[in-house]
Structures are given as structure tokens and as C-alpha cells.
Amino acid sequence: MTKRYAVILAAGQGTRMKSKLYKVLHPVVGKPMVQHVINNLNAVNLDKLITIVGFGAEKVKEEIGDKSQFVIQEKQLGTGHAVLQAEELLKDAEGTTIVACGDTPLITGETFVKLFEHHEQSRASATILTANTPDPAGYGRVIRNAKNEVERIVEHKDATDEERLVNEINTGTYCFNNHELFTALQNITNDNAQGEYYLPDVIEVLRNESKKISAFVAADFEETLGINDRVALAQAERIMKKRLNEQHMRNGVAIIDPDQTYIGPDVIIEQDVTIYPGTIIKGKTTIKTDAIIGPNSELADCHIGEGTAVKQSVIHNSTVGSHVNIGPFAHIRPESVIGDHAKLGNFVEVKKTTLGDNSKVSHLSYIGDAEVGSNVNVGCGTITVNYDGKKKHLTTIEDNAFIGCNSNLIAPVTIGKGSYVAAGSTINKDVPDNALSIARARQSNKEDYVERIFNRKKD
Ligand code: UD1
Ligand code: CA
């Protein structure tokens, strides 16, 4: 089989984004756009992948890591000049080279595969991935002759009024015969509106040498959207979100309002999960069957067990068991593990805490740096006093303990199995198993005191 190489162009500054963040690192559904391009290119079995970097090179290299080789383009003299930077690494290679842009994250693996197949079957020197759009402004236009053959590509800025009426655009993705690409690149100039070496000019060079040029028209323009500014970035977000949501729905997930539901590309959701509006699910989150998530919840990097309900709550980097009830308005912070059939209710914050099966923290509590056993009831307003201003300390609450309302547990401290802490206690010593601990002032009632004060005031 013909060898396949890819060059990703990612050296431009992305001036039109008006951002400190380098263009190809702007996230779409939470993932930098250049990562989408690399992931989607994975569908093609590549023998070599080279990314051209320039502006923000270090950051882009760090993001991509060992998935690609890199070449630096010191000065951004145009897309043709950018490809030429890969000459050293590619010029002797026999095969097909795909050039893709780091700012077209929506082109699917399937389209890349079809483009390669079309190119290899037609035995063309170059095949352009094109698309038709009623609003082609800004894109390079594909100029065809009377026989409908592609003659050249003209950039929007260089195009005549008549050429600008053409609706077929260059998506910025092409397959080339590798040798012919690098030979033709020697013959392009920067004599154009932007004073740049345009890669699309290679088409005219090849054509003048009577080489075969082919075009593969993408089925859907949306997929080929190039992201040059934040308006296009928001469009890409909407398209990718829709794509992901539809995938989940086809897999059996009930998404009540897909327009209001944001699910990241690495999230795994089992069938019969229901997701209510205003929900954001990010990172490597897994949600087991029959869970109910939302409305208005944010989950990042967590595992949610079967049949668990999460309402109006935030959960980060934690594991939640099955048939757990969370919220409304709970916040589960990183490194927490919540057991099966547990409950975390209104205005409860939990951090770096293990909560055993069937344990409940129903209202208005802060439980941080704690190991809580099973069947524990933590009353309303309980606080683990975990921080002494310098260090965090551990609170241990053993199985079947009962913590009365409005208690302070000053860590490090252990509440033994089956013991009771009386409401309003401030506990700073360990409580043995099965004990009742009361640590509060005794109540004293002063009879008729109110009336006495009242009379005194009148004097
Ligand atoms: C480019 C095409 C245009 C096409 C459009 C599709 C050219 C001259 N024009 O225009 O025909 O319709 O894409 O989206 O190719 N880059 C470099 N080095 C450079 C210049 C650019 O690496 O010196 C990279 C950019 O980072 C970007 C990609 O190449 O990822 C495309 O560059 P951009 O400036 O966005 O080109 P467009 O004006 O969109
Ligand atoms: Ca672009």
C-alpha cells in the first residue's frame, strides 16, 4: 500500500482570535482544536505525522507531546512556506502527503479516509478537499474550467468580484503526491495581496505541468469550518456539541434539551441515563446506567454509579457509588469517594473524603479530609475543623456513628463506632465506640427574666 504522511499547519499566530492563547490551542468542547485534528487524522493509518509550529511553539509541542514530530517555522511567510519546512523530513519519501490545518477541527476521520481513497484511486498529483457554501467569504475559491476541471485556487483577498461569486471553497486540506508537492513548492511566489507563499498556488503549478488535479467535495460544509475568529469558534463548539450529543442519544442516553447540554469528547455514558438541561460533563467522566444528572450540574473527571441522581450540584474528580442522592446544591470536591446508597443533600460541601455505604450528610455541612464509615448520619450544620492555619488534619467517623446537628469536629479526631455526638458539641478529643459525647455548655433557664428586664427598662 502507498505510504501515507501528514503535515499539520499550526504555526500561524491567529491574529483574528484577538487572544493571548495561541490559536490552535483554543478549546472546542474542552479540547484544543489541534488535538481534534490529530485524533481525526488517526483514522488514516499514517506512517509519519509532522506538525509545523511557530507562534507559541513550546506550548503547542507540550500539548501534542509524542503524537507528532515537529518542525519550527521561524517566520510565518504563508502556508506554502510552512509546508516547505517539512522538506528535510519528507522530501525523499515515496507516497501520499495530506496537508491539514490546525484550525479545522471538525473534519472527521471518515472524511480524511475518503479523501485518501479518492486521491489514490484517481491517481491524481493533488486532490483538494472542497466544500460548497452559500457564504464563502474569507475562503479560497476553487476555480474550474469549462470542462469542470480544477484549474487553480484563488484567495478571497486576491479574487475578482466574479471569482468571489464562486461557492466552492478550498477547505485547506489536500492530498499530494509527496515528491511532486515538494518540487512544486519551489515554484510558488509571494506575489499576491498578502505577500505570502500560498500553498494553494501549488495547484496551478502542477496543472501547468499537465499533472492531474482532482477535487473531493465534502458532503457537508459545516464539517470543514476554518476557525479564524471567536465567532467561528462558537460555531464549531455548537456543531461539535450537537455531534457528540447525537452520538449519546443514539447510544440510548436521554438528553432532555441537547442545546443546553455540554458533554466533552472523552465522556462515557451508558444507556438509560437521563440528562437534564444546564448540565456540563467534562474530562474523563463515566456515568453508569439509570443515573439522572441535572438540571444545572457540572461533573468533571468523575465516576457516577448506577441509578445515582445528581441535582443542581458540582462534582470534580471523585467517585460516586450507585443509587446515591446528591443535591440539590451539593459540592463534591476532588479525591472524594462516596459509597452506595449514600446521600449528600442541600448545601453540603465534601472534600477529599471517603463516605461509606448508606451514610448521609443531608444539609448544610462541610466534611473535608475525612474518613466516614457506613451507616453514619451527619446532622445538619456539622463541620470538620480540618485546618489549623498551617496543616490539614484527618477526621475519622466510624460505622454507625451519629453526629448531632451543629457539631464541630476538631481534627485530628476519631468518633468511634456506634457513638453519638450531642447536637451543638465541639469535639476535640476522640470519642470511644458506643459512647455519647456532649461538649457544650449546660442550659440554664432564668425564670421570669424577660419580664424583669422589661420592667427595669421602664424605670
Ligand atoms: C487558508 C487557505 C484558504 C482556505 C482556508 C480554509 C491559504 C493561503 N489559504 O486560508 O484557501 O480556504 O485556509 O480554512 O493557504 N499557517 C502556518 N504558517 C503560516 C501561515 C499559516 O503554519 O505561515 C497555519 C495557520 O496556523 C493555520 C493554517 O496554516 O492553522 C491556515 O492558515 P490561515 O491563516 O488560517 O489561512 P486562511 O486565511 O484561513
Ligand atoms: Ca484558517
Side-chain angles (χ1 to χ4, degrees):
M1 207 176 99
T2 325
K3 289 217 165 187
R4 291 172 167 188
Y5 317 104
V7 177
I8 298 179
L9 306 184
Q13 186 176 16
T15 324
R16 291 165 280 181
M17 293 299 280
K18 305 228 165 84
S19 172
K20 310 190 268 306
L21 187 64
Y22 177 58
K23 174 158 88 172
V24 298
L25 295 181
H26 275 268
V28 177
V29 296
K31 189 177 268 200
M33 51 175 123
V34 69
Q35 287 286 16
H36 287 288
V37 177
I38 291 180
N39 284 353
N40 297 341
L41 272 172
N42 263 339
V44 180
N45 289 319
L46 292 171
D47 294 283
K48 203 180 263 228
L49 171 63
I50 299 164
T51 305
I52 313 295
V53 291
F55 275 96
E58 285 315 308
K59 291 240 163 70
V60 179
K61 280 161 84 173
E62 199 181 302
E63 175 61 44
I64 297 172
D66 59 9
K67 290 182 203 153
S68 173
Q69 284 180 275
F70 298 96
V71 178
I72 306 266
Q73 184 192 23
E74 298 286 353
K75 277 197 180 146
Q76 281 61 53
L77 302 180
T79 48
H81 178 260
V83 175
L84 205 52
Q85 308 311 300
E87 195 179 19
E88 278 297 293
L89 289 172
L90 274 183
K91 68 169 186 282
D92 299 326
E94 204 70 56
T96 301
T97 296
I98 186 171
V99 178
C101 293
D103 67 351
T104 52
L106 298 167
I107 301 176
T108 59
E110 201 186 333
T111 298
F112 285 135
V113 169
K114 282 188 188 155
L115 175 66
F116 263 97
E117 282 169 358
H118 182 97
H119 175 78
E120 285 162 1
Q121 279 160 17
S122 66
R123 300 184 180 280
S125 293
T127 305
I128 310 157
L129 179 67
T130 73
N132 287 299
T133 168
D135 182 20
Y139 289 95
R141 307 297 205 285
V142 177
I143 308 299
R144 294 179 183 254
N145 64 17
K147 287 192 268 174
N148 207 32
E149 296 161 342
V150 176
E151 292 224 306
R152 62 195 166 88
I153 292 165
V154 60
E155 287 308 297
H156 181 90
K157 285 186 180 154
D158 298 289
T160 61
D161 287 347
E162 199 186 333
E163 287 167 337
R164 284 186 184 176
L165 294 175
V166 171
N167 292 108
E168 189 181 9
I169 60 109
N170 167 28
T171 66
T173 306
Y174 331 70
C175 276
F176 293 102
N177 170 303
N178 185 64
H179 280 303
E180 289 174 343
L181 166 64
F182 284 98
T183 312
L185 276 172
Q186 312 295 333
N187 296 320
I188 60 171
T189 70
N190 63 353
D191 182 16
N192 51 50
Q194 300 184 79
E196 289 185 1
Y197 294 91
Y198 293 160
L199 174 63
D201 284 358
V202 157
I203 300 300
E204 203 179 353
V205 171
L206 290 170
R207 169 113 197 143
N208 289 341
E209 291 168 0
S210 307
K211 298 273 175 13
K212 184 172 176 187
I213 308 298
S214 184
F216 177 70
V217 188
D220 180 11
F221 164 72
E222 252 193 4
E223 193 185 314
T224 68
L225 192 75
I227 297 168
N228 296 324
D229 60 20
R230 291 181 189 261
V231 175
L233 184 65
Q235 281 170 324
E237 183 80 27
R238 180 180 55 74
I239 296 164
M240 191 93 84
K241 177 183 78 171
K242 183 165 177 269
R243 227 188 243 176
L244 289 167
N245 285 349
E246 285 178 0
Q247 238 170 46
H248 287 295
M249 290 187 275
R250 289 203 181 89
N251 289 343
V253 177
I255 301 181
I256 305 300
D257 184 352
D259 288 340
Q260 305 274 352
T261 304
Y262 305 83
I263 303 173
D266 302 321
V267 172
I268 298 170
I269 310 177
E270 290 188 353
Q271 68 176 58
D272 291 315
V273 167
T274 302
I275 301 173
Y276 283 96
T279 294
I280 303 174
I281 307 173
K282 315 190 268 197
K284 294 202 185 313
T285 293
T286 306
I287 305 175
K288 306 297 277 182
T289 189
D290 292 334
I292 300 173
I293 312 296
N296 302 323
S297 294
E298 180 182 301
L299 313 184
D301 298 304
C302 40
H303 173 93
I304 305 291
E306 184 176 332
T308 284
V310 179
K311 286 183 190 152
Q312 284 101 347
S313 292
V314 175
I315 309 178
H316 284 182
N317 191 20
S318 292
T319 300
V320 178
S322 57
H323 307 286
V324 174
N325 268 307
I326 292 177
F329 313 113
H331 186 186
I332 302 183
R333 291 169 53 201
E335 295 180 58
S336 296
V337 180
I338 311 300
D340 298 342
H341 300 278
K343 178 172 195 262
L344 291 163
N346 310 260
F347 308 104
V348 167
E349 177 180 341
V350 162
K351 187 215 83 175
K352 209 174 179 181
T353 284
T354 304
L355 189 75
D357 296 348
N358 301 305
S359 287
K360 294 183 174 59
V361 188
S362 296
H363 339 258
L364 296 155
S365 290
Y366 171 64
I367 307 296
D369 302 293
E371 276 171 18
V372 181
S374 54
N375 296 308
V376 168
N377 194 328
V378 176
C380 176
T382 297
I383 308 284
T384 54
V385 184
N386 60 329
Y387 187 47
D388 61 12
K390 286 212 172 83
K391 277 194 193 146
K392 302 282 167 67
H393 300 281
L394 182 74
T395 301
T396 306
I397 306 175
E398 295 181 344
D399 296 349
N400 305 313
F402 180 97
I403 313 297
C405 291
N406 212 30
S407 297
N408 300 310
L409 309 176
I410 302 181
V413 72
T414 297
I415 314 296
K417 278 199 184 77
S419 60
Y420 265 57
V421 169
S425 292
T426 292
I427 302 292
N428 59 1
K429 290 199 279 287
D430 289 353
V431 178
D433 294 355
N434 303 313
L436 167 67
S437 181
I438 308 177
R440 65 185 185 215
R442 268 183 188 278
Q443 179 171 344
S444 73
N445 294 339
K446 309 217 186 281
E447 305 228 350
D448 300 328
Y449 194 75
V450 176
E451 209 173 320
R452 278 195 343 249
I453 295 172
F454 193 60
N455 290 336
R456 207 183 295 153
K457 270 191 187 152
K458 268 207 284 190
D459 293 342

